[in-house]
Amino acid sequence: MKFSEAWLRTWVDPELDAAGLAHVLTMGGLEVEALSPCAPPFEQVVVGQILTVEKHPQADRLNCLRVDVGTSTPLSIVCGAPNVMVGMKAPCALVGAVLPGDLTIKAAKVRGIESQGMMCSARELGLSEESDGLLALAAHAPVGRSIRAWLDLDDRQFTLKLTPNRADCLSMRGVAREVAALTQRPLSPLSFIPRKTNPEFGTRAVRIDAIEGCARYCGRLVHLEQPDLPTPDWMVRRLERAGLRAKALVVDVTNYVMLELGQPLHAFADAALTGNLEVRWAREGESLTVLSGQTVALTADLLVVADEAGPQALAGLMGGQNSAVSAQTRDIFLEAAWFSPMALAGRARRLGLVSEAAFRFERGVDASLTQEALERATQLLLDCAGGGQAGPILDLVHPEKMPQRLPVRVRPDRVRRLLGFEVAVEAMQQILTRLGVCLEGSGADWTATAPTWRVDLEREVDYVEEIARCVGYDQIPMQVPKAPLRALHLPERQRSRQSVVQRLQARGFQEVITYSFVPAEGEQRLAMQPSPLALLNPLSQDLAVMRSTLSVGLMETLVFNLKRKQEQVRIFEWGRCFLPARDTDGLCTQPMRLGGLWYGTRFPEQWGIKSEPADFFDLKGVVEELLPPGASFVPAQHPALHPGRSAEVRWNGQSIGWVGELHPRLGPSFDLSRMPLLFELEWAPLTREAWPEYRSTPRFQPVRRDLALVMEEGVPAMAVLDALRAVAPKNVTDVLLFDVYQGAGVEEGKKSLAFCVKIQDTERSSTEGELEQICQELIRVAEQRFGAVLR
């Protein structure tokens, strides 16, 4: 919400400067995001009137002007603007003036003709980025007056960052109410005299068919004498300083009333309407070309205002081109309605429409404003258009569908308990009364009824918050907690998150945090999720579903870095995934997972090591450092991974994740020249730590025996290794795989696996016979279970 400080001070004028006012608003819960001047600093620029215009004798595009600036003698000024004319009033920079950009105006000769100043455009004064000539001023602008004073250029623009529940502050009246309540200054009410209606002028019949979407509809016919008159300068300035561009009189007045009171209005060209109007839900097959030029295919959940020929406006969102008003439209049908937020929420975003009206209706508009807004708009239109006449107001209301302000119990004792500091009962009563709340009952127990414009006051805690922010969040006393702080100790068998993160960071991985919302296309490619959890009201199509895998965010991060020439990417993320419901209660599961990605070479580029791309076994080694005791890898198929370079991670007989290389068919969709390595693990097993075990220091040297076993090519090496470790006696400290060989000397279709058997007895030295017996037992197990033969 943007507004002009000068406009605000016509409603309420606290004894604060702009910075002090911004602080009060921010501390009162209405954050001032920006406070900026409406014009850059400049001086000695006045209103000038052109008396004569003559062509420059030595330049075709220059004119010699005589300009009245309120002094005894007119000034001689050379000007190249294309729109100069006799009698025109425009800004004139006097000699000595300093314009934006540190441009100092000096007396000079231009092609032999003396110039005693400079006529200015809006761009030269810093009021606009573009201009096609001098800034034309109103005919009644006083000659010689400072342009800063005449155009009120010392005004300042406030930009509020409102929370969605404060729809009442999307208007000048709403902001003024807040300032009056926060500063305890009187509020100047809006005063105007409603125009007399002409009963013979008639009205247009309207019927509300969709009462659940539109509980109140007001309208009237208005005839304008001169609709092509320009919008008054004061109104144009207020619109522009509120972030809206002036267009034509009727549109500007409806926008102005919306900014002033908070009630969106719409004007139909009456001649373009056929028969009676109806507020209804759209029908399948209907379409409407809206004011932005977009043709919208209407669906049954869209509310429309239609005549007998079809839809003429998207109710509360945007009008249609067919019934749009122009500068020549004399007869208009002016609409002010209350549309339910639930009937409009998300529709504008879904259709790609940007509308100030939709922004307000979605958050809630005061349902009591419709008649007042119509009367105010009628008064402004007739005053600015040189007169006219207005018909009676049609007011259709369905009270049972109107928003209700239910009484709420408010207890001062509970207010103090929730706030944590003392506030006098009288102060609470004054605050709520200034906010327009109706209080009934004693000082120990009130029944509070919120005003019609405060749609957000529904519970007792809402009133507690109102008292807190009006007291001032910066006035809440600071209290140091007295509770003792103790470090939390994890159980001996539980590994901390920090420990897991440090292990990854030691291997060159960096933590990232990505959105839990992901594009549906990414879910389909990487998770093969047939029915992901879709959001009812997504921020965009790229954030339409909840992630069921961390890989989507990791791949998006990789692509982002590659586009910025970062060829070495090692990242990980710790977060929740969201899986569709699989049980009868209909609740989704939200497992915590750890995911990682490795793209690039095995080692950073250097002269001493040959550059080689990282492969499956590099990432497998990283994952092994994270796994709990007893975890293993088994071959498995994953829809997003290379079928020969991926594995499932198992622990205690259950799958706890996967690791592998991205499938080559997915590379083109990410514009990748090589495939990254990915892993994703359930978090809970990673927190398990083995019991510490005491082992005495061996007194005897270890003995190593190597066994080369030949077996079928399809036998998993991990299965053989697990089997050998399972039958090895206590004095075998470890069995390791150190070589895999296929080639000369090994039959085709088979492979040789070489295992290192480390034997070390803590009590005595092993004999050769004992060592041979251990090796024969291991060979026997390999022969029986896997058909292996000693090479």
Side-chain angles (χ1 to χ4, degrees):
M1 171 65 183
K2 296 182 178 180
F3 62 89
S4 155
E5 179 187 0
W7 190 6
L8 174 65
R9 290 188 184 277
T10 63
W11 285 85
V12 57
D13 192 10
E15 295 179 352
L16 297 169
D17 59 9
L21 182 57
H23 178 75
V24 167
L25 285 170
T26 300
M27 290 297 104
L30 306 180
E31 181 184 352
V32 177
E33 188 175 25
L35 176 59
S36 55
C38 293
F42 58 82
E43 55 187 21
Q44 296 188 48
V45 181
V46 300
V47 177
Q49 183 172 21
I50 301 174
L51 302 178
T52 62
V53 179
E54 298 178 357
K55 283 291 183 182
H56 194 291
Q58 298 182 15
D60 295 337
R61 297 185 179 181
L62 297 179
N63 293 299
C64 299
L65 313 180
R66 288 179 61 79
V67 181
D68 181 9
V69 292
T71 57
S72 57
T73 306
L75 302 181
S76 174
I77 297 177
V78 177
C79 179
N83 63 334
V84 294
M85 63 180 68
V86 175
M88 178 183 187
K89 291 184 178 179
C92 178
L94 306 178
V95 173
V98 179
L99 301 185
D102 291 331
L103 175 62
T104 302
I105 304 302
K106 300 178 182 179
K109 286 191 176 183
V110 181
R111 298 286 183 92
I113 302 296
E114 185 178 7
S115 182
Q116 300 172 323
M118 174 181 168
M119 303 300 292
C120 299
S121 65
R123 183 172 180 268
E124 289 161 339
L125 295 179
L127 305 180
S128 173
E129 295 182 359
E130 301 292 336
S131 67
D132 53 2
L134 301 182
L135 174 60
L137 302 177
H140 61 278
V143 174
R145 187 174 181 184
S146 167
I147 203 71
R148 295 195 73 90
W150 176 246
L151 297 181
D152 197 13
L153 298 183
D154 291 322
D155 193 7
R156 298 176 72 85
Q157 182 189 59
F158 283 74
T159 302
L160 296 183
K161 187 177 181 180
L162 295 174
T163 51
N165 65 315
R166 293 309 307 270
D168 59 302
C169 291
L170 291 171
S171 67
M172 283 307 309
R173 175 189 275 176
V175 175
R177 284 193 188 111
E178 287 297 303
V179 173
L182 294 170
T183 62
Q184 303 183 37
R185 298 291 294 176
L187 177 69
S188 300
L190 177 66
S191 60
F192 63 93
I193 301 175
R195 291 305 180 97
K196 294 183 179 179
T197 60
N198 183 357
E200 298 179 358
F201 193 57
T203 186
R204 184 174 289 278
V206 180
R207 185 167 69 92
I208 302 177
D209 183 56
I211 61 174
E212 64 277 12
C214 176
R216 186 173 191 179
Y217 190 94
C218 295
R220 79 180 333 167
L221 289 172
V222 180
H223 172 77
L224 305 176
E225 291 294 336
Q226 301 179 61
D228 55 347
L229 288 178
T231 305
D233 291 342
W234 61 269
M235 186 180 294
V236 170
R237 285 199 296 272
R238 290 180 175 180
L239 288 173
E240 290 178 344
R241 293 171 189 179
L244 298 182
R245 185 178 59 184
K247 297 179 180 178
L249 179 60
V250 175
V251 177
D252 293 344
V253 168
T254 56
N255 283 337
Y256 180 81
V257 174
M258 176 184 69
L259 293 174
E260 186 177 57
L261 301 179
Q263 170 66 53
L265 303 172
H266 183 64
F268 296 92
D270 187 62
L273 300 178
T274 303
N276 299 330
L277 293 180
E278 180 182 14
V279 183
R280 60 173 173 82
W281 298 108
R283 297 163 185 158
E284 294 296 333
E286 291 183 326
S287 63
L288 177 67
T289 302
V290 294
L291 293 173
S292 63
Q294 177 181 344
T295 299
V296 178
L298 303 180
T299 55
D301 64 338
L302 293 175
L303 199 63
V304 298
V305 179
D307 63 3
E308 296 177 4
Q312 296 297 330
L314 283 171
L317 302 183
M318 191 173 291
Q321 280 192 348
N322 180 60
S323 58
V325 298
S326 67
Q328 287 71 42
T329 305
R330 292 178 177 272
D331 294 312
I332 64 173
F333 180 75
L334 200 57
E335 165 197 281
W338 183 84
F339 299 113
S340 168
M342 295 303 297
L344 300 185
R347 271 59 163 192
R349 184 182 296 111
R350 188 182 75 198
L351 299 174
L353 302 177
V354 179
S355 165
E356 290 285 339
F359 189 80
R360 286 162 171 79
F361 279 126
E362 286 180 343
R363 286 156 176 78
V365 172
D366 185 356
S368 66
L369 275 177
T370 50
Q371 281 212 30
E372 182 184 9
L374 271 185
E375 292 284 11
R376 175 61 168 161
T378 302
Q379 178 242 340
L380 290 172
L381 284 170
L382 298 183
D383 286 348
C384 299
Q389 55 182 334
I393 292 180
L394 170 74
D395 191 359
L396 302 178
V397 186
H398 291 273
E400 71 279 9
K401 296 295 182 180
M402 293 281 282
Q404 303 296 322
R405 300 291 177 264
L406 300 178
V408 176
R409 184 186 183 191
V410 178
R411 294 159 290 179
D413 286 342
R414 180 167 174 78
V415 173
R416 297 190 192 97
R417 188 164 64 253
L418 290 177
L419 293 183
F421 62 93
E422 185 68 27
V423 181
V425 174
E426 294 76 12
M428 296 184 198
Q429 185 174 14
Q430 290 176 7
I431 288 172
L432 295 178
T433 303
R434 290 201 307 268
L435 292 172
V437 177
C438 177
L439 293 177
E440 298 178 355
S442 65
D445 197 343
W446 288 317
T447 298
T449 304
T452 57
W453 59 84
R454 290 302 300 271
V455 298
D456 58 316
L457 299 183
E458 299 177 343
R459 303 167 299 169
E460 185 178 20
V461 291
D462 296 330
Y463 292 89
V464 175
E465 182 183 6
E466 293 301 296
I467 294 171
R469 69 182 189 83
C470 288
V471 169
Y473 293 128
D474 55 339
Q475 300 300 315
I476 296 177
M478 296 179 61
Q479 296 180 354
V480 179
K482 296 181 180 180
L485 299 178
R486 297 185 180 92
L488 296 177
H489 296 283
L490 291 175
E492 196 171 18
R493 293 199 65 185
Q494 184 173 344
R495 187 184 297 167
S496 68
R497 175 177 177 268
Q498 183 180 8
S499 174
V500 176
V501 168
Q502 287 175 345
R503 296 186 187 196
L504 285 169
Q505 291 173 338
R507 296 296 295 267
F509 283 74
Q510 294 180 312
E511 186 172 7
V512 299
I513 300 175
T514 65
Y515 284 115
S516 298
F517 313 137
V518 296
E521 181 184 1
E523 272 289 298
Q524 178 62 30
R525 281 188 299 190
L526 294 173
M528 297 297 178
Q529 184 64 253
S531 55
L533 293 172
L535 298 176
L536 295 178
N537 189 18
L539 297 173
S540 69
Q541 290 302 313
D542 291 337
L543 303 172
V545 301
M546 303 297 291
R547 67 185 180 192
S548 64
T549 174
L550 299 175
S551 303
V552 181
L554 294 173
M555 288 300 299
E556 290 180 345
T557 305
L558 169 65
V559 173
F560 181 87
N561 280 272
L562 291 179
K563 288 181 178 178
R564 286 151 182 82
K565 305 302 180 183
Q566 299 296 321
E567 298 295 334
Q568 297 287 335
V569 179
R570 298 187 199 182
I571 53 178
F572 71 94
E573 180 173 12
W574 178 77
R576 292 197 180 275
C577 295
F578 303 85
L579 307 180
R582 295 182 180 178
D583 47 18
T584 56
D585 61 9
L587 299 176
C588 71
T589 56
Q590 303 178 34
M592 186 71 74
R593 292 178 178 173
L594 176 70
L597 179 148
W598 187 343
Y599 182 90
T601 57
R602 182 172 294 147
F603 302 105
E605 185 177 1
Q606 57 169 298
W607 66 271
I609 300 177
K610 182 180 179 181
S611 178
E612 295 179 348
D615 60 20
F616 168 82
F617 295 103
D618 292 313
L619 187 62
K620 179 175 176 287
V622 173
V623 173
E624 284 179 335
E625 294 184 13
L626 309 176
L627 295 176
S632 61
F633 298 84
V634 296
Q637 299 293 321
H638 187 284
L641 300 181
H642 192 296
R645 301 174 185 174
S646 59
E648 181 183 47
V649 184
R650 301 189 67 82
W651 181 67
N652 286 348
Q654 295 182 343
S655 173
I656 63 169
W658 47 261
V659 58
E661 182 180 299
L662 187 70
H663 200 293
R665 64 177 167 76
L666 296 177
S669 60
F670 293 102
D671 196 21
L672 298 176
S673 59
R674 73 174 70 145
M675 298 303 103
L677 303 164
L678 297 156
F679 76 85
E680 188 165 316
L681 303 169
E682 299 292 337
W683 176 251
L686 303 185
T687 63
R688 299 302 298 272
E689 192 71 88
W691 282 111
E693 290 185 21
Y694 168 77
R695 292 182 181 179
S696 60
T697 304
R699 294 182 296 164
F700 302 94
Q701 294 292 329
V703 179
R704 169 174 173 156
R705 291 289 185 267
D706 292 343
L707 303 177
L709 303 174
V710 179
M711 62 197 71
E712 295 294 333
E713 184 180 13
V715 176
M718 193 71 187
V720 181
L721 187 61
D722 289 343
L724 297 180
R725 287 174 174 173
V727 299
K730 288 184 62 176
N731 57 346
V732 175
T733 58
D734 204 355
V735 181
L736 301 173
L737 174 69
F738 68 89
D739 184 49
V740 179
Y741 174 74
Q742 286 178 285
V746 176
E747 185 180 346
E748 186 176 353
K750 294 190 176 184
K751 63 183 177 181
S752 171
L753 301 181
F755 297 93
C756 165
V757 182
K758 293 183 177 181
I759 307 170
Q760 188 174 34
D761 199 314
T762 60
E763 299 297 330
R764 61 185 179 83
S765 178
S766 300
T767 66
E768 187 65 30
E770 291 172 338
L771 298 176
E772 183 65 23
Q773 184 180 356
I774 292 172
C775 293
Q776 290 300 323
E777 177 63 19
L778 296 178
I779 294 171
R780 184 186 63 79
V781 171
E783 288 177 348
Q784 291 179 353
R785 296 189 55 180
F786 306 104
V789 178
L790 184 65
R791 183 179 170 189

